[in-house]
Amino acid sequence: MTTKILIVTGDAAESLEVLYPYQRLLEEGYEVHIAAPARKKLQFVVHDFEPGFDTYTEKPGYTWQADLAFSEVDPGSYAAIVIPGGRAPEYLRNDPELRKILKAFFDSDKPVAQICHGPLLTAATGGLEGRRVTSYPALELDMQAAGASFQDVEAVVDGSLISSRAWPDHPAWMREFLKVLRATAPAT
């Protein structure tokens, strides 16, 4: 049986932060499912940086079909979870079904890979208390308020929690996540 990985996301997720890990994990031999608030076609976005702007810009990105609704997810069927960023985590953190899913992964100490604004979701579950993390740098105060020690580096590994700042750090993030996955849940 192939080892399954879950990606949780929604509309306005950053395209690269969903599709890069999705394709990289498939390439590695994992079965990957994307879950969202409902089974529907999701509209992702592209966050980029423009000279003279104080923050990133947002443009429409790819669309992608969600495989499952959060209410259909059995966390016990998955070896690990990936939490992309973008604006999606701002509203997804309010979803009680998603919070239950995330809590199950933390309670089971299964690998959790989060990037950019994704840690807003784990913060909403109390999963960052006492942990070392990174995130999009503008979330440093949010990470500290959630009880985490923030580090402004490409990737931070704290046990089974692997975090990264944003899509430019994908190689370091996936390299560290795959080290943890290969040790705890190898693709079969």
Side-chain angles (χ1 to χ4, degrees):
M1 183 165 53
T2 305
T3 304
K4 295 191 296 187
I5 309 296
L6 183 66
I7 297 177
V8 291
T9 195
D11 289 322
E14 213 297 324
S15 293
L16 286 173
E17 293 174 2
V18 177
L19 297 176
Y20 179 80
Y22 178 80
Q23 292 175 329
R24 183 64 191 91
L25 291 164
L26 287 174
E27 177 184 50
E28 193 73 16
Y30 292 96
E31 182 177 337
V32 185
H33 296 159
I34 294 178
R39 282 185 189 230
K40 68 173 214 160
K41 184 181 278 190
L42 299 168
Q43 176 64 62
F44 300 147
V45 297
V46 173
H47 285 163
D48 208 350
F49 303 93
E50 301 290 337
F53 277 60
D54 292 328
T55 189
Y56 55 85
T57 61
E58 183 173 283
K59 300 168 186 77
Y62 294 104
T63 59
W64 201 267
Q65 183 66 41
D67 300 306
L68 302 163
F70 294 147
S71 63
E72 299 173 299
V73 172
D74 171 11
S77 298
Y78 295 91
I81 192 167
V82 176
I83 308 167
R87 278 188 302 110
E90 293 174 13
Y91 69 91
L92 291 177
R93 63 184 163 178
N94 297 309
D95 188 302
E97 290 295 326
L98 179 54
R99 288 195 309 268
K100 283 191 263 182
I101 293 166
L102 292 172
K103 185 171 178 350
F105 277 88
F106 277 100
D107 288 351
S108 300
D109 199 31
K110 291 181 180 179
V112 174
Q114 59 184 12
I115 190 166
C116 195
H117 285 72
L120 291 173
L121 296 176
T122 52
T125 68
L128 299 184
E129 183 69 39
R131 306 295 290 262
R132 291 178 302 107
V133 300
T134 194
S135 66
Y136 189 70
L139 298 184
E140 179 177 359
L141 296 177
D142 299 277
M143 298 299 96
Q144 292 170 348
S149 170
F150 178 82
Q151 299 178 355
D152 189 5
V153 295
E154 287 182 321
V156 172
V157 179
D158 184 336
S160 60
L161 178 64
I162 303 90
S163 56
S164 194
R165 295 177 298 196
W167 59 261
D169 296 332
H170 276 162
W173 180 50
M174 279 290 106
R175 186 171 35 255
E176 296 302 328
F177 183 47
L178 286 169
K179 283 181 194 174
V180 172
L181 275 180
R182 289 176 187 135
T184 61
T188 51

